[in-house]
Structures are given as structure tokens and as C-alpha cells.
Amino acid sequence: MKESPNKSAENRIKNSLKHVLLNKACYGKSKFAAKQVEKEAYLNEHGNLKGWNPAYTEGIYSVNTMSTYIREAELFATYCAAHGIKRISEITPEIAEAYLRECNARNLSAWSISTKASAINKALGFELYPSALGLPKRSIKDIKRSRIPREHDNRDFSADSEQIIIAKGSGIRRESMTAIRPCDCVRNAAGKVVGIHVIEKGGKSRVAPILNIYVDSITEIVNQAEKKRGKEACIFETYNKKIDNHRFRAEYAGLLLHQLEDERAAGKPLFQGNRDRNEVFFLLFSILQDRKLHFAYKLLNFQKNRCIFFFLFSILL
């Protein structure tokens, strides 16, 4: 992409786009609740939900998403200034479409182009979708990160061994690792930690069930942390950013579903009998709410002929 000969125009557009995006910040608020409000408003206006996009919300609820959108907006600003645009009001959907097509011509991945389109749509209120423009669609088979062994996966993370155990045993997100406290842990009648209450992406609250094979080790970790720092203090202060937590979540999703199916097939109580029927229903529903776990399970290709949603609820019947 050629550089802009007009730096003042480029900076003006960058600042304008950044200002628009920052005004949409909704950190700490519930994205789920916002979607419900927008759904009701759309239903009242149109009388039905035809044409409603359940994935869209006006605000930006993640710091990481904001950072990504601002970065993409700055790249787009450079393109606009290089093509004679002087201010944000001059940017048209046609300009944005041409930019996305140029990105495709430079062999950027479908995932990268989709991210760029999302950033532009959020900043300018456009409705540009790569698939509608005839650009390549995103495909699971094209994902490489966290799917195949990498050389850096063999680095020494012994200092984070306890964090890794909890990540593998609970499937919680990276950002939750340094936020969980002993008081967030759910225990059974024997005092074993069988779940961790977390508030994660989109402000959703859920209880992450602990895999049976990790119950004892995680209980020991939590007990030691509670003894040293108390119930209200965070269990961990750090978590190495180079640890592939995404992979742990994918493995956890598959192992949890296999565990539930094995317990059902053996006629054993689900979650080793640590939950009554209503609690089991709530836990399974909270798992379904974590779309990443749902998605990650499919990526691992466990039981390809199973529909995850109906499997989870069929085991309650």
C-alpha cells in the first residue's frame, strides 16, 4: 500500500476515526444486555426480527477489540489520504470497498480482511461484508495458530505451572487467570473445588466446571493460595502472555464433553454427583454461552457426527 503524500490529511483522518471508536467504548458493561436492548428496539420498530443481526452491537466492550479497531482504522486512514481523501466526511462505502479489494490483492487472509471490514463498519456505520463483495470467506481449515505444534510451544513455563493446571482444568480465558480468587471457587460437600465462577467476554457470568482429573490438584492450589493470601485476594498475579491458553481451552472443551458422555454411558451422576439436576442444567447452559469453547470443540474434530448443542441437553433427558 503506497504511502500518503499528505501527512496532515492522514493524521486528521486517523484522529477522527480514533475519536469515533473511542466514543463507542463500553468497558465493564454487559454486551449481552446491550444486545437484548437492541433486539427489543428492533422488534418494536420492525414488528419482527427479519434482517436483525444478533452479533451486532453499537458499542465496543473489549479493550483488545478497541486496540485492534484503532490499528486497522489508522491503516485505512493512510490508504484514504493516499487516494486524495482529506477528511472523514469524504469517505464513502466505495472507497472502503476498494481498500478491502486491495487488501485481498495483497494476499491478506480472509480473517484479516474481515477484521478490517469490521473496524471500518464500526467507525463509519457502513455495512460492508467481504462475502457480499465476492472476497474469500473465512474457513476453519485455514486457521494455523494453536492448531499445530510450534517450536516455541516447548519453552519452559515452569514458573506458571499452577496457572497452566487451572487453565487446562477449567478452560477459563487468559484475562480471568489473574482475576480469579478463592472465594470465586465452587466447592462440593467434601470441600473439593468443582467449579470457578468467572465474568468474561461480554460481561457474561458463568461457572466453569473443573474436569474430574484436575479436581484434586486445583483444590490444592486454591487451598494454598487461600492460606497465604486469604479468600478475597487473587490467586495469581501474573500469567505469561506467551502461553498458548487458547489451545488449553480447545482441549478442555473436548475433554469435558467426553467426560460427560462417559459418565452418562456408565450410568454415573454427572460431574461425579457434585451437582443436582438443576445445577447441571445451569452449568451446561453456561458452557454453551462460551462460544469459544463451542467453536474450539468443533476445531478439534471430536465426534464429527455429533451436534454439540443437542448432545449437551440430551444428557439431561
Side-chain angles (χ1 to χ4, degrees), residues 113-298:
I113 294 174
S114 178
T115 299
K116 292 178 182 295
S118 295
I120 293 171
N121 289 340
K122 184 67 73 173
L124 297 171
F126 295 161
E127 294 185 0
L128 295 173
Y129 303 102
S131 58
L133 300 178
L135 300 178
K137 296 181 179 180
R138 295 179 296 178
S139 175
I140 291 176
K141 70 178 185 299
D142 295 329
I143 300 176
K144 298 295 186 292
R145 185 177 69 84
S146 301
R147 306 296 181 261
I148 58 178
R150 299 289 187 184
E151 182 179 350
H152 67 261
D153 289 343
N154 296 321
R155 286 177 292 191
D156 181 18
F157 294 121
S158 57
D160 295 88
S161 59
E162 293 185 343
Q163 290 92 318
I164 291 174
I165 289 174
I166 288 185
K168 289 183 174 182
S170 66
I172 62 176
R173 296 177 183 274
R174 175 182 296 279
E175 58 269 24
S176 293
M177 189 62 68
T178 52
I180 57 174
R181 305 163 298 172
C183 61
D184 296 321
C185 297
V186 180
R187 297 177 183 264
N188 62 10
K192 301 285 187 178
V193 175
V194 294
I196 302 177
H197 177 259
V198 291
I199 299 177
E200 297 188 320
K201 190 174 182 179
K204 292 181 181 177
S205 173
R206 70 183 184 94
V207 175
I210 303 299
L211 294 174
N212 294 341
I213 58 175
Y214 287 99
V215 166
D216 289 338
S217 55
I218 289 180
T219 298
E220 179 62 24
I221 292 171
V222 174
N223 286 345
Q224 289 297 322
E226 183 176 341
K227 184 177 180 180
K228 290 180 180 179
R229 294 180 287 277
K231 290 185 176 182
E232 299 293 332
C234 293
I235 297 175
F236 304 112
E237 295 181 353
T238 62
Y239 187 39
N240 195 314
K241 65 180 181 180
K242 296 186 182 299
I243 292 175
D244 197 351
N245 195 78
H246 187 77
R247 181 64 187 181
F248 297 154
R249 282 166 54 75
E251 293 172 348
Y252 167 85
L255 290 173
L256 177 60
L257 294 179
H258 278 299
Q259 172 185 303
L260 294 174
E261 186 169 53
D262 289 344
E263 289 177 342
R264 181 188 65 161
K268 297 179 179 178
L270 300 179
F271 299 108
Q272 295 185 326
N274 292 321
R275 297 277 182 260
D276 63 26
R277 184 182 179 86
N278 291 333
E279 289 177 311
V280 169
F281 184 88
F282 173 77
L283 283 172
L284 296 182
F285 184 74
S286 69
I287 294 169
L288 286 175
Q289 284 186 309
D290 190 331
R291 292 181 297 171
K292 184 73 74 175
L293 295 186
H294 186 144
F295 182 62
Y297 176 81
K298 291 192 290 184

